[in-house]
Structure formats: C-alpha cells, structure tokens
Amino acid sequence: MERTAIGARLRRLALSLPVVFSAMIGPAWSTPAAELPFKQFRLPNGLTVLVHEDHAVPLVSIGVWYRVGSADEPTGRSGFAHLFEHLMFYGSEHYDGSFIDAMHALGGSGVNGTTSLDHTVYYETVPTEAVDRALWLESDRMGHLLGALTQQRLDTQRGVVENERRQRYDMPLGRTWSRLLRHVFPANHPYHRDPLGLSADLAKASLDDVKTWFRDHYGAANAVLVLAGDITPDEARNKAMTYFADVAPGPEQDRQQPWFAPLDAPSRSVMHDHVAQRRVVRAWPAPEAGSPSGAALALVADVLGGDRRSLLHRRLVETEHLASEVSAELTPMGLAGVFVISVAISDDADVAAVERVLDDELRRFVDRGPSVDDLHRALAHAETEMALHTESLSARGEVLARGLLQHDDPWASLRQRQLAVQLTPAHVAREAVWLLRPAHTLHVLPAEEGFDGEAEDLADEGRVASDAKPASVRVSTDELRPVTGWSADRRQLPAVGEAFPEPRLPALERARLPNGAEVILAPRRGTDLVHVRFLFDGGTAAEQRYPPGTAPFAMSMLREGATTTDSREVQERENWLGVEVSDGCDTDTCFLDLAVPRRRFADAVALAADTLRHPTFLSADIARRHAAWLSESTSQETDAYQFAADVMSRLLYGEGHPYAALAPSIDAHPSMAPFDSAVLHAYHGAFIRPDNVRVVVVGDVSLAACIDTLAAVLGDWTAPPGPVPLPSTAVAVPEPGEVAYLIDRPGAGQSHIAIGMFAPPAGDDVALGVANMVFWGASGSRLDNLLRDTKGWSYGVESTLAQQRGPRPLLFQVPVQTDRTGDAIDAVRSEVAALVDNRTPLAEEAVDATRMGVARSIVGMLESGDAMLANVSAQRVLGRSDDFWQRLPTLLRQTNAAAANSAIQSVLSNARMTWLIMGDRSVVEGPLRQRFPSLRLLDADGRAID
C-alpha cells in the first residue's frame, strides 16, 4: 500500500513535468536588478566600489580585486603575481603583523587571497562592527606596504611558495591544468603558463623586483573594492573615502586584450602523474568570458558532461562501460577560455576505443543538437547551482566583481544566464561546432615510483608562439588624484564592537512524524533554497558485519533506482527538479542530502523518500556504480591528507575496531569484487529505517509544512522488528609514549608528517578546541608561524579534532620539503615539550584573540544553508543541546589562557603520539631512525611490513 501511494505521486509528477516546465523554471529567472542589486561608484583616485546591500545577517563580505594576474608577468618573471600575493599578508607600514591573525581576531571567515591568470584578490567576511578595522587593514596594505617589505620576508615567502608548488603538483592531476595551458595557448599568449610559475624565475626575484611590481600594479585605480552585506551604499561610500581616498592612483596601465587563438591542427601529449586510472583529457581554445558564444557553450558543457545524467556519462559509463567518470567544463576568462572534457578510463578499456566513442558522440551532438529535455535539465541544474553559489555574501560579491573586471558589467553572469533561457536546441548545436575543430588531447598515465614530474614538465614546451597577438590598450591615470581630507588615522586601529557578541540565530524547531521519526527545522527566512538531510546513525563504524565500504556504497546506490522508478527515471526526475543530491558516511552517521528551490521541495522529498524506502540494488546497477566507486576511492590514496587520516585511524584504534576504517579508500582495490545485492539489502534493512532517521531541514519553510510534506511520503514507513544494531565504540586508550611509522613514496618532493593521538569526548568544554587552534590547528597558529612563516619549510599546517562520539582523534598534519623532514620533526617535538612542561605556554594574548575571533565568527560560520545543515547534524552527533551556538559566546568568555593550556597540556602529556611519515625512504629513513630507533615500515596501503 505504501509503495502504491508514493509511486502514484511520482507518476503524476513525471506526467506533469514537460507541461509545467515554464512554471517551474521561469519565475526563478528574475531580473538581475531583483536578484543581485548593487550600487557602483568611483573615488577621485580611481578606486571602483561595488556595494550589494543585504541586512539578513550582521556580516559584510569584503573583497579587494586588483587587475593583475599571472597573465601580466613579463618573460622571466613567472610566478611574480602569486609570490606578491603572499607578501601582502605579512605586515604594512602601520601594522607590523600577520593580516590573517588580525582578520581572524575580528571574527573574519574565509580570510584568504588568490591569484588567477587575470586577477589577484584578497577577501574576508567580517561582523558588521568589525568593518572599519578590516577596511583600515586593507587600505594600509594597498597604500602603505613598501616600507614593510624586507629581504627576510621575501626569502621566507619564496620558500613557502616553492612548497606550495610541490604540494599542489604532487596532488593527483595537480599538473594537468598547467599542461593544458601550455598546449592550448601559444607560447607568447598571456595564458601560456599558470600562476605558480617556474622555480628558476622565482629564485631570481629580488627585493627591488617585488617593490616595482607593487608600484606598477597596486594603485587604487587598478583595483575594485566590493562590499556585500549589512551595509548601505552611503555607509560604504563614507568608509571607502575614509580609508582609501588618500591612496595614490598608480601609474597608467597597459591592458591586454582578448586573444582567441584556435589551434591550426590537432595536437597530443602524454603526462605521467600520481593517479590510479588513465585519463583522456581533451581541451579546446574558447572565446573569452562574456562572448556571444559563452551561454551556449556553458549549456553544451553541462549537457555533455555536467554530471551523471549527462550524455557522455550515459554513453561512456553506462552503455559502453569504457569509463568510470566523465566531466565537461567551460572555463571563461578575461582574454580567452578553455573547454575541457575529461574521461577516467576503465582499467580494461582501450584508450583508442574511448576516443572513438568520444568523437562519435561529439559528432552526433553537433548534428542533432541537444533535446529539449536536455536543455531543460541543464537550465534547472544551473538555477540550483547559482542559488547554491550565491548563498554566501562573498560569492555574491565575487559575481559582481568578476563581471565588472572581465566585461565591464557586474551583472554579466546573470545576463548570460538569461540569454541561456532563450536558446533553442538549434542555437546550441550551432555553437557546439567548436568541438569539431582541432583540440589538444592529453593522455594522463599512472607514474612509476620515483617519477620526476617536474622534469617532464620542463621538457614539455607546448604550443609555439604566434604573430597574431593583439596590441594592448593603455589606460591613463593622469586625471585621477588622491584626496587627503578624508584620511584615516593611521596611528591606531579603529575600535571593534563587543568582544563576545550574542549571535542572532533562529531557534531550532522540532517535531515527530506519525511513525516517530524526528524532524529538526533550522529556519532561514528570505532564502529560496531548501536543504534537507536524512541522517542515519551507524556510519562506517557499523560495517563490522559487512565488507569494507558497505555503508558509503549502499548510500551511493540509493539514487540508482527504486521499485517504482529505475535508475534512468530517478536521474530524469532529478534533472527536471533541478535538485542537487549528495550522499556519504562518516564514522557515526550516513546521510542523503538535497538542495532544491523551495517550490519543488515537496516533489524532491517524495523522490528521495522513494529511493530511501525501496532501493532495488540491481546487479547491473551495482556493477556500474562499483566501477565508479572504486575510481573515487582509490584516487584518495594519492591525496596525502585523506590517506594519512585513513591510515592513522587504523593505527590509533587497531585492527577490528569499528572506528579503524574511517574511509574505504585504503581497502578499495580494483580486484575487490562488487558488493552483493543481498548484503546491501541487509545493511539497508538494518540501518536505513524510520526509527534510525532524523530529518534536518534548513530553509524558508514552516515546521508545519515540513511535517505535512514528510508525513505524506514517510509517515507510514514502519521499522523492522528489533533495535538498530549500533556497534560498541569503546576505546582502549593506550599508555603515553611515542611510536613512528614510515610509508615510502619514492621521489616525493615533500614528506607528509602526521601525528595522531586521542582527545577526550566533545562536550560543552571548548578549551581544547581553542588551544588546538592557537597551538597548531589554524593558519597563524604557533606551529604554522614556525614551519611556514619563520622557516619557510612548509605551505602550512592543519590540525583537526574529529567530530565523533567518544574519545576522538586529534590529528596534526604538515607537508614539509624532503630535506627538512628531520628538522621539522625536531621543531614539532621541541614545541610540544616546551608547551607540556609550561616553559612556553600558550600566550594569553593569543588565546584571547582566538576565542574572541571565534565568538565574532559564529554567524559567519553558519551563513550558508550547507553550513547550517552540517553544523546542526554535527551538534546532534556530539550530544550538544540545540542552543549550543547561542551559548558558545558565554563558553568562550569563560575559557581563559589557563583553561586552554590545561586542556592541551593534559592531552599532549597523557597521549601516545603516533607519528606517520610518508616520504622518499631513500632520503628520510636515516634521519628518521636517528629520531625514532623503533621506526616501523608500512607498505603503500598502510599495512605493516616489518
């Protein structure tokens, strides 16, 4: 009876979809003025200011965009734009300190900078009361940096950038983008090299060189200030004048012009990388952002390879079984664009066959064009993607700034989207003819151990130069002048409001469905998207009676069909609804997430409920999904952070413990047999049940509407007999001490160092969390300052306290250059010892700045629907009350330096520290054995070999 009710609803939905499409999609495509209003003005010194006003939360996102990127670097100066970005974070003439630390103390979230081919951007989101200080800091480094630049800072940041290059290029597919740029664009094109540049060029950078770079490119007239959030245009104008009006305009600029350079003939290259699967990557030069072809090509990319519902996925993955993953993407930039199709090849597939099918599918697409259904799917997907992207104030500011800088129109991306709605299949097919023009085809092959990827890159020259480069256009600043009457007081920082403000957060609302299933609503008024999480206890800890990976694999199979809808029907209905679906598991829980426009909330929940209640787990679907799942899992082996976390989980808990298998990646191999349908049904029956689910909803919906919607499709769901078989997760905490393990990674340019230990269960005591951030858990922490900013041995540190029940792992990780592995271990040991015996306790000033920063950032941490969904779920897993976030400022106020020191000293002095080093054994084993005489060796899968 229950299946008939849900099935009937879904069949009615399917029949009505083509008819009601315009009603579903059309109203959401509002005018740019209604969707993203802004004001624009220009200061007398040429600084452009964009203001997006939204008083929903007491936050303001600040972005300072400079019209300079790696495309502006002269020959022999590659990497300069990115190197200078780093130098902007370490003090100015009136503030001799870390800008990241200063912004974090204000409660800043998303504090960072980025260098692209076109721009260099600095951004942060701060509480409203901290805007003046944040703007003081931003303007001081724009107008008063040169006196703070020193040779020592340059040398240190040069080392940091080199370590960033090693870290990024050591990541799976980390060198692919730079390879494509070299072959898609001519040697004299501004996009021929990526922003990380060449080591040889970075080594030549002198202090005079970087000062000249600042003088040439960091004037006010070459920048855009974006303010989005709790600020009015009048307030923004007054603050911009106060803090920025006295900054010099800077010299005239030579602006490079768009240069679309089609390939004369197809080209090919081969690259070896740290990947588990072979790949075919095909790239075409494309027009610049905002071109008439842009909207159509974006739809082409989505229809061909946007997700698992796309044409290439259906053909290569589902029908031909030649690939496990396919993607297509258009990357439009200021001077030109790149259209890329990437295919992860199945282990037993022939690469030539993959290319033949790809060529055939592209020809068919150009000949026939997309179907109306394909376009509708792409538009629905684009609508939800845009809504997700612009939930945050910083993303809205980015949309406006990028539009202005790339084609002098802050609403450019919204206008492109409006244009896309008007396109017919014939229009799209005409633009898709680009894909029959010459392209560069890159074959990515698994590298042998010890392979030198940088040497391969240096030997790869790429495309030759062209004589068709357009002349640049000179932009004068002669008529611009700084204004001194508004100058801010540079002798002191502006005051900031209350140190521990009470966050204005809506209270959670709770109810139960007729069958007892709990519903938790976090209201977010004025938002169009509704986020839903179906949360089930169990997680990977509940897999002991099942093959490794059963829990996440079973969750991934829920979208592969139900008794009333097969896999293709589920995909089609997701297409029409424009619902974004994700799934996964952590140690304690598994989840199925939805993000959908509010008007389709009920239909999306009905579809999800059907797949949750009645999955089929058909053998054909299992085999297809298993191949893709193995690809996803084994790729984690080459992600050092994830792999270290997986191995450390096993080392800490010991074989057989429910928490020993944090993730399936280290147990997933191509030889692993597909999961049995009966096993998946057994797992589903044991854990995916109404007495084990909590439904978390975030959005502008009422609790009554949630209950009515959920009760209609879940209210009669009945639980099987017997309790949910949750495992015992008791932990035998080992005696204090130290143990070390080494995993050989021949030829690695960096050693990845991880330290794991147990910490007490989470509760309302936040002292350990604060201490962790101060000591080694965040950018600007004591060990980050030491290893990155003082020594220059690393790109940065990371430390996490697991969000799980019971005694939880505290995991510290830092990649360091190989020749400093032993030195870095000595430094970490020394700092830990000095903290434990109280020789160098955490400073009161640092603890105060961190706890005040956390208190001020609470609203920012919960700004987006995704963030609220994850945090509501996490607090429930950790056993915290619904009002934890409201009480957090009080808890932080009570956490002084003594409490923070006591918390972390207790953990460090009583824990067994487990060290895991992944690096080139031929280089690091000697230094390691000097420090760890009982060093143990692990194989590439993290298993003991001695």
Side-chain angles (χ1 to χ4, degrees):
M1 180 177 177
E2 61 184 37
R3 300 184 182 186
T4 302
I6 296 177
R9 175 173 186 145
L10 291 172
R11 282 191 292 274
R12 288 196 301 272
L13 170 63
L15 291 171
S16 66
L17 284 173
V19 177
V20 302
F21 177 78
S22 61
M24 292 172 60
I25 302 295
W29 302 90
S30 54
T31 64
E35 186 168 355
L36 193 57
F38 76 95
K39 297 292 184 181
Q40 177 178 341
F41 53 89
R42 196 181 192 203
L43 303 191
N45 61 359
L47 177 69
T48 300
V49 183
L50 296 171
V51 187
H52 167 63
E53 183 178 2
D54 183 344
H55 301 286
V57 291
L59 296 171
V60 177
S61 173
I62 300 171
V64 183
W65 292 63
Y66 294 90
R67 296 175 184 263
V68 58
S70 61
D72 300 294
E73 296 164 346
T75 302
R77 293 292 184 266
S78 68
F80 260 50
H82 178 232
L83 174 62
F84 197 87
E85 174 214 317
H86 280 245
L87 290 168
M88 286 279 280
F89 281 97
Y90 294 95
S92 56
E93 292 173 4
H94 303 103
Y95 183 80
D96 188 22
S98 165
F99 276 77
I100 291 179
D101 290 352
M103 292 297 183
H104 282 163
L106 299 180
S109 56
V111 181
N112 213 330
T114 183
T115 303
S116 70
L117 294 164
D118 295 322
H119 314 113
T120 307
V121 189
Y122 305 87
Y123 47 86
E124 58 273 335
T125 298
V126 300
T128 306
E129 65 268 18
V131 170
D132 282 283
R133 183 173 292 187
L135 292 177
W136 187 101
L137 290 164
E138 285 290 4
S139 62
D140 207 60
R141 62 177 170 180
M142 178 188 286
H144 309 279
L145 187 81
L146 288 179
L149 290 179
T150 65
Q151 187 65 46
Q152 181 182 5
R153 284 179 176 166
L154 171 60
D155 291 341
T156 299
Q157 290 310 307
R158 188 183 354 241
V160 172
V161 168
E162 284 289 0
N163 278 297
E164 181 180 359
R165 290 182 76 258
R166 295 185 187 103
Q167 186 171 325
R168 292 198 178 180
Y169 287 163
D170 278 349
M171 293 172 61
L173 303 175
R175 295 160 42 235
T176 305
W177 180 241
S178 60
R179 173 65 69 98
L180 293 178
L181 292 178
R182 286 198 298 275
H183 286 271
V184 168
F185 297 109
N188 57 334
H189 195 287
Y191 290 170
H192 186 71
R193 292 204 179 275
D194 75 352
L196 290 178
L198 298 175
S199 295
D201 288 348
L202 291 171
K204 294 184 296 187
S206 69
L207 188 59
D208 286 341
D209 289 334
V210 296
K211 287 184 176 183
T212 299
W213 185 265
F214 176 79
R215 294 188 189 99
D216 287 348
H217 299 291
Y218 275 73
N222 205 38
V224 174
L225 170 66
V226 188
L227 301 171
D230 188 21
I231 190 169
T232 67
D234 286 342
E235 291 171 332
R237 182 185 295 273
N238 288 334
K239 293 182 189 299
M241 287 294 293
T242 298
Y243 297 110
F244 290 90
D246 65 338
V247 177
E252 61 187 7
Q253 298 291 315
D254 288 328
R255 296 270 167 82
Q256 303 194 72
Q257 299 303 297
W259 181 13
F260 169 56
L263 289 164
D264 296 325
S267 61
R268 290 179 172 272
S269 67
V270 175
M271 185 182 84
H272 298 81
D273 204 354
H274 306 295
V275 293
Q277 283 182 290
R278 297 166 296 157
R279 281 183 180 262
V280 170
V281 185
R282 188 169 293 179
W284 292 259
E288 72 278 5
S291 73
S293 302
L297 287 175
L299 286 178
V300 170
D302 197 288
V303 172
L304 282 175
D307 52 31
R308 72 183 192 128
R309 315 158 205 174
S310 62
L311 298 180
L312 288 176
H313 187 278
R314 293 177 188 174
R315 178 80 185 275
L316 285 163
V317 178
E318 298 180 11
T319 303
E320 305 283 351
H321 307 295
L322 293 170
S324 61
E325 177 189 347
V326 181
S327 65
E329 184 175 6
L330 172 69
T331 302
M333 297 172 287
L335 307 180
V338 184
F339 191 105
V340 177
I341 295 176
S342 178
V343 182
I345 305 172
S346 298
D347 289 331
D348 57 351
D350 176 50
V351 65
V354 171
E355 291 202 52
R356 284 194 299 271
V357 172
L358 177 59
D359 291 338
D360 180 60
E361 197 65 29
L362 294 180
R363 281 191 296 269
R364 292 171 63 181
F365 185 83
V366 172
D367 290 342
R368 303 176 186 179
S371 68
V372 173
D373 285 357
D374 287 332
L375 285 188
H376 288 175
R377 175 191 65 76
L379 291 171
H381 180 233
E383 178 195 353
T384 305
E385 281 286 296
M386 176 62 83
L388 280 169
H389 179 62
T390 54
E391 277 195 315
S392 71
L393 294 169
S394 61
R396 284 179 242 167
E398 177 194 347
V399 168
L400 294 172
R402 194 176 296 279
L404 176 67
L405 290 170
Q406 288 187 337
H407 23 77
D408 202 30
D409 179 8
W411 281 332
S413 64
L414 303 185
R415 297 192 203 281
Q416 285 281 94
R417 196 182 64 180
Q418 286 187 315
L419 176 61
V421 178
Q422 303 169 19
L423 295 174
T424 66
H427 286 133
V428 176
R430 282 198 296 272
E431 293 297 342
V433 75
W434 288 99
L435 303 181
L436 299 185
R437 296 181 178 180
H440 179 73
T441 300
L442 172 65
H443 286 184
V444 183
L445 305 178
E448 298 289 337
E449 289 187 350
F451 179 77
D452 189 343
E454 187 160 3
E456 182 181 67
D457 289 342
L458 289 173
D460 175 64
E461 296 182 357
R463 192 174 167 185
V464 300
S466 167
D467 58 4
K469 183 177 181 178
S472 60
V473 173
R474 180 153 295 183
V475 179
S476 173
T477 59
D478 290 344
E479 303 300 318
L480 304 174
R481 296 289 184 272
V483 179
T484 56
W486 289 73
S487 300
D489 185 354
R490 295 290 166 187
R491 296 170 298 178
Q492 60 182 0
L493 290 165
V496 182
E498 187 180 353
F500 298 95
E502 298 294 330
R504 302 201 307 256
L505 298 173
L508 299 183
E509 302 176 30
R510 291 177 181 265
R512 290 191 179 273
L513 300 182
N515 58 5
E518 185 178 19
V519 178
I520 306 171
L521 172 65
R524 291 186 81 232
R525 303 307 175 204
T527 58
D528 182 56
L529 278 185
V530 179
H531 298 261
V532 184
R533 170 167 289 184
F534 299 93
L535 186 68
F536 301 90
D537 278 337
T540 57
E543 289 184 343
Q544 286 184 302
R545 295 186 295 138
Y546 306 95
T550 296
F553 187 79
M555 295 305 295
S556 74
M557 282 293 299
L558 293 177
R559 298 170 64 197
E560 297 295 337
T563 53
T564 57
T565 50
D566 64 20
S567 176
R568 180 61 62 86
E569 288 176 297
V570 171
Q571 293 178 29
E572 291 301 326
R573 288 166 185 171
E574 288 179 357
N575 295 350
W576 280 97
L577 292 171
V579 58
E580 293 293 313
V581 185
S582 58
D583 55 74
C585 296
D586 55 31
T587 51
D588 293 310
T589 62
C590 290
F591 61 87
L592 181 72
D593 284 359
L594 313 176
V596 64
R598 186 173 59 247
R599 67 189 183 280
R600 304 179 211 145
F601 168 56
D603 291 322
V605 167
L607 179 59
D610 194 33
T611 60
L612 280 170
R613 295 176 65 172
H614 316 301
T616 50
F617 299 132
L618 298 179
S619 298
D621 294 333
I622 291 172
R624 183 182 66 252
R625 180 68 196 124
H626 182 259
W629 181 80
L630 280 180
S631 172
E632 296 162 6
S633 297
T634 53
S635 68
Q636 294 179 22
E637 292 185 14
T638 49
D639 180 337
Y641 284 91
Q642 181 63 59
F643 185 68
D646 293 351
V647 175
M648 185 64 73
S649 204
R650 179 181 289 162
L651 296 175
L652 289 177
Y653 288 103
E655 295 284 356
H657 190 278
Y659 283 167
L662 178 64
S665 65
I666 54 178
D667 292 306
H669 291 283
S671 59
M672 179 186 285
F675 291 89
D676 184 76
S677 178
V679 170
L680 298 178
H681 276 293
Y683 176 84
H684 177 270
F687 294 99
I688 311 302
R689 44 195 280 180
D691 56 344
N692 191 40
V693 67
R694 285 168 178 81
V695 186
V696 183
V697 182
V698 178
D700 191 2
V701 293
S702 68
L703 184 62
C706 288
I707 295 300
D708 288 346
T709 298
L710 291 164
V713 292
L714 294 177
D716 60 348
W717 190 13
T718 57
V724 179
L726 296 175
S728 170
T729 54
V731 177
V733 178
E735 293 295 318
E738 202 173 48
V739 61
Y741 300 87
L742 170 63
I743 295 178
D744 187 20
R745 291 203 163 178
Q750 289 187 314
S751 294
H752 191 94
I753 300 172
I755 309 172
M757 66 202 75
F758 284 115
D764 281 356
D765 182 5
V766 298
L768 180 59
V770 170
N772 183 58
M773 294 176 67
V774 174
F775 183 59
W776 57 8
S779 177
S781 64
R782 178 180 292 182
L783 282 183
D784 186 67
N785 286 335
L786 174 64
L787 298 175
R788 171 186 164 119
D789 298 330
T790 301
K791 302 294 188 181
W793 297 342
S794 172
Y795 180 50
V797 307
E798 175 184 295
S799 178
T800 55
L801 274 164
Q803 300 285 312
Q804 66 187 54
R805 300 183 179 108
R808 53 206 174 120
L810 188 161
L811 179 61
F812 168 77
Q813 300 192 65
V814 57
V816 300
Q817 59 196 66
T818 298
D819 62 348
R820 292 295 187 177
T821 302
D823 294 334
I825 290 171
D826 290 342
V828 173
R829 274 176 156 178
S830 176
E831 291 295 330
V832 169
L835 175 59
V836 167
D837 64 18
N838 218 37
R839 280 180 288 129
T840 56
L842 303 179
E844 184 174 352
E845 180 182 2
V847 172
D848 287 349
T850 297
R851 63 196 184 106
M852 287 189 291
V854 172
R856 290 169 175 155
S857 68
I858 291 172
V859 175
M861 288 190 287
L862 303 175
E863 180 188 5
S864 70
D866 273 343
M868 179 67 78
L869 192 71
N871 277 289
V872 169
S873 303
Q875 301 317 318
R876 184 241 155 227
V877 169
L878 296 175
R880 290 170 171 164
S881 61
D882 285 354
D883 64 348
F884 173 78
W885 290 106
Q886 286 83 350
R887 293 186 296 108
L888 184 54
T890 299
L891 297 173
L892 290 164
R893 189 182 297 113
Q894 298 167 351
T895 303
N896 56 22
N901 277 296
S902 176
I904 196 167
Q905 287 166 352
S906 176
V907 170
L908 295 176
S909 60
N910 293 302
R912 170 178 289 182
M913 282 195 180
T914 299
W915 293 73
L916 173 64
I917 299 95
M918 301 185 297
D920 189 336
R921 179 183 176 185
S922 67
V923 178
V924 303
E925 184 175 11
L928 290 179
R929 290 203 179 275
Q930 292 174 8
R931 292 160 175 83
F932 305 106
S934 299
L935 180 71
R936 305 176 188 180
L937 300 180
L938 303 178
D939 65 16
D941 296 323
R943 306 281 185 181
I945 58 176
D946 68 341

